[in-house]
């Protein structure tokens, strides 16, 4: 495990302690958090933290073998189990975009000309998310892909990982860590 200096690990690399989700879809394999479907999935599934976070910088490395995933921040879990809130997008035609799952939709669109030069398809990519008060910034492999000042958005909530509906796929996450900030 490689944790950035000054950050706290969000994942013990052994089991799903501290996280809530479907253990049939989310596993720990060789110290990596993996969401995997082997058949078509008719709904979006989420693995989320037990703890809520407000202001923070979150870092992880992610690898997608499939079409779509995402990292939820400042989100809630609805009664139907679906998460609603900000999502740092991962996937074909959306890497690095900022979406608001089950709410307002696209907040900062995908930038193909930028992403095509920095993305390592089907390999590990660094994802960093900074959320302070009404300001959110996303970075992939050290490059800013989305920036938003959003006075209407949530200021606190859960962090979650998504495996999107659709054909079989795998979304993997490692070195998940966070640095909580005061406002």
């Amino acid at each position: 495990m490689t944790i950035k200096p000054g950050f706290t690990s969000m994942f013990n690399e052994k089991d799903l302690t501290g996280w809530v989700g479907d253990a049939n879809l989310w596993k720990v394999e060789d110290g990596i958090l993996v969401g995997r479907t082997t058949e078509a999935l008719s709904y979006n599934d989420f693995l989320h933290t037990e703890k809520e976070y407000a202001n923070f910088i979150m870092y992880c490395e992610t690898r997608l073998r499939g079409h779509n995933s995402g990292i939820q921040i400042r989100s809630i879990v609805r009664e139907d189990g679906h998460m609603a809130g900000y999502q740092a997008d991962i996937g074909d035609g959306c890497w690095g975009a900022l979406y608001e799952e089950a709410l307002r939709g696209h907040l900062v669109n995908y930038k193909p000309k930028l992403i095509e030069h920095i993305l390592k398809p089907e390999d590990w990519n660094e994802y960093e998310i900074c959320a302070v008060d009404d300001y959110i910034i996303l970075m992939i492999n050290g490059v800013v892909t989305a920036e938003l000042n959003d006075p209407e958005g949530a200021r606190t909530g859960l962090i979650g990982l998504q495996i999107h509906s659709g054909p079989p796929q795998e979304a993997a996450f490692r070195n998940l860590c966070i640095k909580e900030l005061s406002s």
Side-chain angles (χ1 to χ4, degrees), residues 68-127:
N68 194 289
S69 180
I71 301 168
Q72 296 290 134
I73 63 166
R74 293 181 172 175
S75 295
I76 62 166
V77 177
R78 301 184 321 194
E79 285 185 22
D80 64 2
H82 195 97
M83 291 192 85
Y86 292 117
Q87 183 182 101
D89 269 337
I90 298 169
D92 297 339
C94 67
W95 275 97
L98 182 61
Y99 184 74
E100 196 173 35
E101 180 81 15
L103 295 168
R104 296 178 287 171
H106 294 282
L107 301 175
V108 178
N109 290 324
Y110 171 66
K111 299 172 182 150
K113 289 181 182 177
L114 173 67
I115 298 299
E116 289 169 7
H117 297 292
I118 61 169
L119 190 67
K120 299 179 235 171
E122 296 196 26
D123 199 356
W124 292 102
N125 290 278
E126 296 181 16
Y127 219 132

Side-chain angles (χ1 to χ4, degrees), residues 15-147:
D15 57 35
L16 298 177
T17 300
W19 295 83
V20 177
D22 184 343
N24 293 316
L25 297 177
W26 295 94
K27 309 266 188 228
V28 178
E29 298 175 356
D30 299 321
I32 297 170
L33 193 50
V34 179
R36 181 182 298 117
T37 57
T38 56
E39 298 176 355
L41 191 65
S42 62
Y43 58 92
N44 293 344
D45 192 79
F46 301 88
L47 179 73
H48 66 82
T49 56
E50 292 176 347
K51 180 181 175 178
E52 290 193 5
Y53 296 89
N55 294 320
F56 59 87
I57 302 169
M58 179 190 163
Y59 172 87
C60 71
E61 294 167 21
T62 185
R63 179 185 65 208
L64 179 65
R65 293 183 175 153
H67 71 285
N68 194 289
S69 180
I71 301 168
Q72 296 290 134
I73 63 166
R74 293 181 172 175
S75 295
I76 62 166
V77 177
R78 301 184 321 194
E79 285 185 22
D80 64 2
H82 195 97
M83 291 192 85
Y86 292 117
Q87 183 182 101
D89 269 337
I90 298 169
D92 297 339
C94 67
W95 275 97
L98 182 61
Y99 184 74
E100 196 173 35
E101 180 81 15
L103 295 168
R104 296 178 287 171
H106 294 282
L107 301 175
V108 178
N109 290 324
Y110 171 66
K111 299 172 182 150
K113 289 181 182 177
L114 173 67
I115 298 299
E116 289 169 7
H117 297 292
I118 61 169
L119 190 67
K120 299 179 235 171
E122 296 196 26
D123 199 356
W124 292 102
N125 290 278
E126 296 181 16
Y127 219 132
E128 198 159 348
I129 302 166
C130 179
V132 177
D133 298 329
D134 60 1
Y135 180 71
I136 296 174
I137 188 168
L138 307 180
M139 290 185 288
I140 294 179
N141 298 327
V143 176
V144 173
T145 62
E147 190 171 2

